[in-house]
């Protein structure tokens, strides 16, 4: 069956040839048969009929003319005898031929021969009768009587025998004609069927050949496209490797160079700090490059996954502000971040992937926006259905924009607008491909509008789950009266929405002059002073500090004035406090930060800047001991120093076997175990399993945390399957490290 499928053309041609040969043979045989039938008919039935007809003619002629000749007189007797002898001779010849060609019953010829013989004798006797009766009347009467009595019955018998032979020959002719007609009919049918089959097979063959050619052409085009794509991908990857070489060597050069410089300025604290800061920055940049490459590899292998866990959107937004405000400020850009239209903070999703998506887009926006431009992140609600919330993250910049041709390939890996962009701005060309795949994995969507020289706008729509949340509203907030002052209408409406859901009476205005007039009118009308005034720092015409100074002149010390700022307020803190500002709160505004601020006011507590700003957590685990299993001396040194910085005492094991032995010797002494995975003698997985299965009292309860460069999701799951409690990826993020320790301390 496979042979026929693979060789349809050959099979069709062979079938056509066989049919044509069969057609030719059948037609030839049919013609030969018909010719034989024609020859047969001509040589037998028709010849027999011809001879019988000749006999019939002779008999008719003889019996018709003999009486006439006899009536003419004596002179005709000799002629009559000659005619009768000649007729007899003709009939004998015809009978002889009939015996050779007649195909009917031989008895028919015998009967005919006997009838002819009797008739011929009777005719000869008529001459003798004529001769014996010489008188005219007697002669005529005797001849007539002789014909009536003798000749006519014999003539009738002869005619009957002739008709029998002719009928037999005629039947034979009709039978042969019927056979010939039948044969001809089937010959025509077979010829027609054969012709149709040949035509069908030829059309089928031509169709197959056409389809085959079409398929070959299609495959040729596909192969050509694949070849072009392969060449393009090869060129892109070659360019990517070239860029990666440059991108990796740049931070590596900074790390190596700054390390060398630091060694030469060990006594210069300021210079040393500067070098270490640049080494840290370059190291993080290098890690970002490596993560991009690894993420792209996981995407191509179909191994990239997202988690679903409860996370705090406020922390994600704050981290984005911390990162990109500094980047934007360093490049002379304005950075804004707003949240509006919803009060949910705890969401179900993958915070790391959300953070990665937004960092990619914001980093590009900052990178491709020239000095004096602006970058803005706007987070707003699209819709909510049951326990699902759809948010839109809009990233807008006033950067260089993109050409329409490039937008078509924006999400292709290794693509950048041109080599000039790569050389000027750097990057791997993987960020947008990773972003697109992450958005798709989270069941979201991404679109872009961009014009060269006019900036770019990305809209990322992502769905999130909503956990069950307990009501967190204090009744005392109902008594508060709050004024919000901001030149951004969305910010005012968002703050108003959050405060109204808490039961607070809130008013808002769009500039400092209106705020002063609002406070003044409230006091003059006897409506009472506002308990809290939230005032944006950066407003046109009358900024937040001047607005606060003027409001303080009217309200005195009673009202609480809080400056709203999206930026680092340390440079204005002294000036603001001199103007009567009590505290500061960071943009974007969240329900929790507003609630905590108002709750402090309602409870008459002392509000400080630290309570509304972002606190720097300080960890102290003095008096506690941990076990570190790490075979690399440099990595061990780094981990030990990081752990000692927060007061921990550290025992170090160079492999899994040593870690098991140290644990068995003094299990109760350790707060937790940090376990590397790839170690000689015994790896981390095996060591963890042995510890969990040991007889030590703390074997089941002691936290074991994987601390490894195996950072894929499968590696995390493998660590959990081995009995470990968590996973920290190298290079070590100290915040994650200390936060993990605090969970078990």
């Amino acid at each position: 069956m496979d042979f026929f499928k693979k060789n349809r053309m050959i099979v069709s041609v062979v079938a056509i040839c066989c049919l044509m040969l069969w057609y030719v043979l059948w037609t030839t045989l049919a013609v030969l048969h018909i010719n034989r039938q024609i020859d047969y008919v001509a040589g037998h039935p028709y010849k027999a009929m011809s001879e019988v007809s000749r006999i019939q003619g002779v008999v008719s002629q003889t019996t018709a003319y003999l009486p006439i000749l006899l009536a003419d007189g004596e002179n005709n007797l000799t002629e009559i005898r000659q005619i009768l002898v000649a007729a007899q001779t003709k009939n004998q010849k015809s009978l002889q031929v009939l015996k050779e060609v007649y195909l009917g019953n031989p008895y028919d010829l015998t009967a005919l021969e006997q009838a002819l013989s009797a008739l011929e004798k009777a005719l000869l006797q008529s001459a003798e009768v004529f001769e014996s009766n010489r008188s005219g009347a007697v002669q005529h009467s005797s001849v007539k009587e002789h014909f009536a009595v003798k000749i006519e019955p014999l003539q009738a018998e002869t005619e009957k025998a002739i008709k029998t032979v002719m009928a037999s020959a005629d039947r034979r002719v009709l039978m042969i004609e019927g056979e010939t007609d039948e044969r001809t009919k089937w010959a025509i049918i077979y010829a027609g069927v054969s012709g149709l089959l040949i035509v069908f097979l030829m059309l089928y063959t031509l169709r197959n050949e056409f389809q085959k050619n079409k398929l070959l052409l299609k495959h040729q085009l596909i192969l050509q496209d694949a070849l072009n794509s392969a060449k393009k991908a090869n060129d892109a990857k070659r360019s990517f490797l070239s860029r990666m070489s440059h991108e990796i060597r740049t931070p590596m050069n900074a790390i190596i160079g700054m390390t060398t410089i630091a060694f030469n300025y060990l006594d210069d604290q300021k210079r040393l700090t500067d070098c270490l800061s640049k080494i840290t920055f370059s190291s993080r940049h290098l890690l970002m490059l490596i993560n991009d490459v690894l993420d792209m590899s996981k995407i191509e292998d179909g191994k990239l996954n997202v988690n679903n866990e409860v996370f705090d959107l406020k922390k994600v937004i704050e981290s984005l502000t911390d990162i990109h405000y500094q980047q934007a400020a360093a490049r002379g850009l304005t950075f804004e971040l707003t949240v509006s239209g919803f009060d949910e903070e705890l969401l179900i999703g993958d915070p790391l992937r959300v953070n990665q998506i937004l960092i990619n887009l914001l980093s590009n926006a900052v990178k491709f926006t020239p000095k004096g431009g602006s970058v803005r992140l706007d987070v707003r609600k699209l819709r909510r259905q049951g326990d699902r919330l759809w948010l839109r993250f809009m990233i807008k910049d006033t950067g260089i924009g993109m050409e329409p041709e490039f937008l078509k390939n924006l999400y292709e890996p290794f693509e950048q607008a041109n080599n000039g962009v790569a050389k000027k701005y750097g990057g791997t060309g993987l960020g947008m491909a990773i972003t697109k795949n992450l958005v798709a994995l989270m069941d979201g969507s991404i679109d872009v509008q961009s014009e060269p020289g006019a900036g770019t706008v990305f809209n990322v729509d992502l769905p999130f789950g909503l956990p069950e949340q307990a009501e967190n509203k204090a009744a005392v907030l109902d008594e508060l009266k709050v004024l919000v002052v901001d030149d951004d209408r969305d910010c005012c409406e968002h703050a108003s929405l959050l405060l109204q859901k808490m039961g607070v009476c809130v008013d808002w205005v769009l500039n400092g002059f209106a705020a002063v007039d609002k406070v003044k009118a409230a006091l003059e009308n006897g409506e009472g002073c506002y308990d809290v005034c939230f005032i944006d720092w950066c407003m046109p015409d009358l900024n937040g500090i001047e607005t606060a100074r003027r409001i303080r002149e009217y309200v005195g010390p009673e009202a609480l004035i809080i400056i709203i700022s999206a930026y680092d307020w340390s440079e204005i803190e002294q000036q603001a406090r001199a103007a009567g500002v009590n505290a500061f709160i960071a943009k974007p505004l969240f329900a929790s930060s507003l609630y905590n601020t108002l709750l402090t006011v309602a409870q008459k507590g002392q509000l400080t800047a630290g309570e509304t700003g972002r606190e720097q957590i300080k960890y102290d685990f003095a008096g506690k001991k941990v076990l570190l299993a790490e075979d690399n001396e440099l990595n061990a040194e780094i981990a030990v120093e990081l752990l000692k910085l927060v007061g921990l005492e550290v025992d170090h094991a160079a492999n899994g076997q040593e870690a098991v032995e140290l644990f068995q010797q003094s299990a109760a002494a350790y707060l937790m175990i940090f376990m590397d995975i790839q170690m000689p003698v015994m790896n981390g997985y095996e060591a963890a399993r042995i510890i969990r299965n040991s007889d030590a009292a703390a074997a089941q309860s002691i936290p074991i945390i994987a601390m490894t460069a195996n950072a894929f999701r499968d590696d995390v799951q493998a660590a959990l399957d081995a009995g470990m409690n968590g996973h920290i990826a190298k290079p070590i993020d100290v915040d994650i490290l200390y936060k993990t320790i605090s969970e078990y301390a």
Side-chain angles (χ1 to χ4, degrees):
M1 183 62 71
D2 291 338
F3 173 80
F4 290 110
K5 289 182 179 179
K6 294 178 181 178
N7 300 277
R8 289 182 178 178
M9 181 66 182
I10 297 174
V11 172
S12 298
V13 171
V14 171
I16 289 173
C17 292
C18 291
L19 277 172
M20 292 185 70
L21 180 61
W22 177 73
Y23 173 74
V24 170
L25 289 174
W26 173 259
T27 304
T28 303
L29 291 174
V31 171
L32 289 174
H33 178 76
I34 291 171
N35 287 335
R36 285 198 303 270
Q37 293 285 64
I38 292 172
D39 292 341
Y40 178 79
V41 170
H44 293 81
Y46 280 136
K47 194 168 184 179
M49 291 178 70
S50 176
E51 295 300 328
V52 170
S53 296
R54 185 175 288 112
I55 291 171
Q56 188 178 29
V58 171
V59 170
S60 297
Q61 185 179 13
T62 303
T63 55
Y65 289 102
L66 186 61
I68 297 172
L69 292 173
L70 289 173
D72 287 342
E74 298 181 5
N75 296 328
N76 291 330
L77 290 176
T78 302
E79 185 179 352
I80 289 170
R81 288 190 177 92
Q82 291 176 350
I83 290 173
L84 290 175
V85 171
Q88 186 178 9
T89 301
K90 289 180 181 179
N91 288 337
Q92 288 299 321
K93 288 181 180 179
S94 295
L95 283 172
Q96 187 62 38
V97 172
L98 279 174
K99 290 178 181 179
E100 294 176 358
V101 300
Y102 184 64
L103 300 175
N105 192 339
Y107 174 77
D108 296 337
L109 292 181
T110 302
L112 175 60
E113 186 177 9
Q114 290 175 354
L116 280 175
S117 178
L119 179 60
E120 289 170 353
K121 289 179 179 179
L123 288 172
L124 287 173
Q125 287 177 0
S126 63
E128 294 175 356
V129 170
F130 178 79
E131 186 177 2
S132 61
N133 297 292
R134 293 291 183 175
S135 63
V138 175
Q139 183 183 50
H140 181 73
S141 175
S142 61
V143 171
K144 186 176 181 182
E145 182 182 357
H146 179 76
F147 266 82
V149 176
K150 294 287 186 180
I151 301 298
E152 288 180 4
L154 290 173
Q155 183 182 3
E157 186 177 349
T158 302
E159 287 290 338
K160 181 179 178 183
I162 288 171
K163 287 180 180 179
T164 300
V165 173
M166 289 186 70
S168 176
D170 190 52
R171 283 197 302 272
R172 178 65 62 176
V173 170
L174 292 175
M175 182 181 69
I176 292 174
E177 285 180 352
E179 290 179 359
T180 303
D181 290 342
E182 187 72 14
R183 175 77 63 164
T184 303
K185 180 182 74 174
W186 282 109
I188 293 171
I189 292 173
Y190 289 149
V193 171
S194 300
L196 289 174
L197 284 174
I198 291 171
V199 171
F200 171 77
L201 282 174
M202 290 182 68
L203 292 175
Y204 178 76
T205 303
L206 291 174
R207 174 178 170 274
N208 283 346
E209 188 66 17
F210 174 76
Q211 290 182 340
K212 185 178 180 181
N213 291 335
K214 185 178 179 182
L215 188 61
L216 287 174
L217 180 61
K218 182 179 178 181
H219 286 171
Q220 186 178 0
L221 293 175
I222 291 173
L223 289 173
Q224 187 64 42
D225 290 342
L227 179 61
N228 293 336
S229 298
K231 288 181 179 178
K232 185 178 179 181
N234 190 47
D235 292 341
K237 288 186 179 182
R238 187 183 296 112
S239 176
F240 163 73
L241 290 174
S242 177
R243 290 200 304 270
M244 281 302 298
S245 175
H246 174 269
E247 289 294 318
I248 291 175
R249 289 175 186 276
T250 298
M252 284 300 298
N253 180 65
I255 293 169
I256 295 171
M258 285 295 128
T259 303
T260 303
I261 294 171
F263 274 120
N264 290 279
Y265 287 91
L266 295 176
D267 297 331
D268 187 341
Q269 186 67 33
K270 184 177 181 181
R271 183 63 168 161
L272 186 62
T273 302
D274 179 64
C275 288
L276 293 175
S277 175
K278 290 175 180 176
I279 289 171
T280 301
F281 176 81
S282 297
S283 300
R284 292 185 180 277
H285 178 63
L286 181 60
L287 180 61
M288 180 197 72
L289 296 175
I290 294 171
N291 285 337
D292 275 355
V293 175
L294 294 177
D295 276 346
M296 198 64 229
S297 176
K298 286 189 285 184
I299 288 171
E300 290 181 344
D301 291 341
K303 295 180 179 179
L304 191 67
N305 296 307
V306 294
N307 292 325
N308 276 311
E309 59 187 47
V310 178
F311 71 96
D312 191 342
L313 180 63
K314 176 183 174 184
K315 293 182 179 179
V316 173
I317 298 300
E318 287 177 349
S319 69
L320 292 171
T321 304
D322 291 341
I323 294 170
H324 296 289
Y325 169 70
Q326 297 295 336
Q327 291 180 357
R331 294 176 59 87
L333 307 177
T334 300
F335 180 76
E336 296 180 83
L337 199 159
T338 63
V339 176
S340 60
F342 65 99
D343 63 343
E344 295 85 356
E345 293 182 33
L346 292 180
L347 305 175
I348 298 176
D350 193 328
L352 294 178
R353 296 306 184 185
V354 173
N355 194 58
Q356 188 176 358
I357 291 169
L358 298 178
I359 285 177
N360 277 341
L361 295 175
L362 287 170
S363 296
N364 283 342
V366 171
K367 182 194 297 185
F368 295 112
T369 301
K371 185 177 181 179
S374 64
V375 176
R376 178 185 179 96
L377 170 61
D378 183 32
V379 186
R380 62 179 65 241
K381 180 174 74 173
L382 282 180
R383 64 185 183 277
R384 176 175 175 175
Q385 294 179 349
D387 60 351
R388 299 284 286 175
L389 176 68
W390 277 261
L391 297 181
R392 168 166 289 177
F393 300 85
M394 184 181 73
I395 299 90
K396 183 177 182 180
D397 65 63
T398 58
I400 62 175
M402 291 175 280
E403 297 286 347
E405 292 77 12
F406 176 67
L407 287 176
K408 299 175 182 177
N409 302 317
L410 176 62
Y411 302 112
E412 295 295 324
F414 312 115
E415 291 287 343
Q416 287 188 324
N418 52 58
N419 289 333
V421 170
K423 291 178 180 178
K424 183 176 180 180
Y425 296 100
T428 62
L430 297 175
M432 292 311 302
I434 293 170
T435 298
K436 174 72 172 179
N437 279 276
L438 288 175
V439 170
L441 282 172
M442 298 178 72
D443 296 326
S445 63
I446 181 171
D447 66 74
V448 59
Q449 297 89 40
S450 184
E451 292 183 16
T456 302
V457 178
F458 279 96
N459 287 313
V460 179
D461 298 341
L462 296 174
F464 297 95
L466 293 172
E468 295 183 5
Q469 300 185 37
E471 187 69 23
N472 192 25
K473 173 188 168 185
V476 291
L477 296 184
D478 293 337
E479 303 173 1
L480 293 178
K481 186 178 180 182
V482 176
L483 176 65
V484 178
V485 187
D486 198 312
D487 62 311
D488 187 328
R489 179 179 292 272
D490 287 341
C491 187
C492 287
E493 291 178 348
H494 179 63
S496 177
L497 169 69
L498 298 179
L499 292 167
Q500 287 174 357
K501 285 193 173 184
M502 298 176 194
V504 174
C505 179
V506 58
D507 293 324
W508 57 271
V509 292
L510 294 173
N511 59 69
F513 294 111
V516 174
D517 292 341
K518 191 80 171 176
V519 171
K520 183 179 178 182
L523 291 172
E524 290 176 352
N525 296 334
E527 297 175 1
C529 179
Y530 287 99
D531 297 295
V532 183
C533 293
F534 290 100
I535 304 173
D536 185 33
W537 169 23
C538 292
M539 293 187 295
D541 300 327
L542 196 65
N543 66 32
I545 295 176
E546 185 59 30
T547 301
R549 180 182 290 111
R550 296 188 185 187
I551 289 176
R552 183 63 72 190
E553 292 175 358
Y554 288 103
V555 301
E558 296 300 322
L560 188 70
I561 299 178
I562 301 173
I563 289 292
I564 306 172
S565 175
Y567 315 105
D568 182 7
W569 53 73
S570 58
E571 61 185 49
I572 64 161
E573 184 173 0
Q574 185 176 356
Q575 181 186 0
R577 289 192 181 280
V581 174
N582 299 93
F584 301 83
I585 189 169
K587 278 187 176 181
L589 298 176
F590 285 92
S592 58
S593 55
L594 286 172
Y595 178 80
N596 291 333
T597 301
L598 295 177
L599 188 62
T600 302
V601 174
Q603 294 174 347
K604 307 300 181 184
Q606 183 62 38
L607 187 66
T608 65
E611 291 174 304
T612 54
R614 295 165 194 157
E615 299 182 17
Q616 180 66 41
I617 301 175
K618 294 183 178 180
Y619 296 97
D620 184 7
F621 305 111
K624 295 182 173 61
K625 181 189 287 188
V626 297
L627 174 59
L628 171 68
E630 173 64 68
D631 65 305
N632 185 282
E633 292 183 6
L634 183 57
N635 287 341
E637 182 181 350
I638 293 170
V640 168
E641 289 301 320
L642 292 177
L643 294 170
K644 285 183 176 180
L645 287 175
V646 289
L648 288 167
E649 183 181 348
V650 183
D651 282 349
H652 173 228
N655 56 63
Q657 182 64 46
E658 289 185 17
V660 171
E661 292 172 357
L662 285 173
F663 173 77
Q664 290 174 342
Q665 291 170 10
S666 52
Y670 298 120
L671 170 67
M672 60 197 312
I673 300 172
F674 291 101
M675 186 76 72
D676 187 26
I677 299 302
Q678 295 186 4
M679 295 183 291
V681 185
M682 182 184 294
N683 64 40
Y685 297 137
E686 188 176 353
R689 291 189 184 96
I690 292 175
I691 290 173
R692 290 297 186 213
N693 294 324
S694 68
D695 296 330
Q700 298 299 319
S701 60
I702 188 168
I704 304 176
I705 307 297
M707 185 183 287
T708 174
N710 298 345
F712 290 158
R713 183 180 181 87
D714 293 343
D715 301 317
V716 176
Q717 188 60 47
L720 298 177
D721 293 341
M724 301 188 197
N725 300 82
H727 181 282
I728 296 176
K730 295 177 183 176
I732 298 170
D733 186 317
V734 292
D735 291 334
I736 295 176
L737 174 63
Y738 296 155
K739 182 179 178 181
T740 301
I741 297 172
S742 68
E743 293 176 359
Y744 299 100

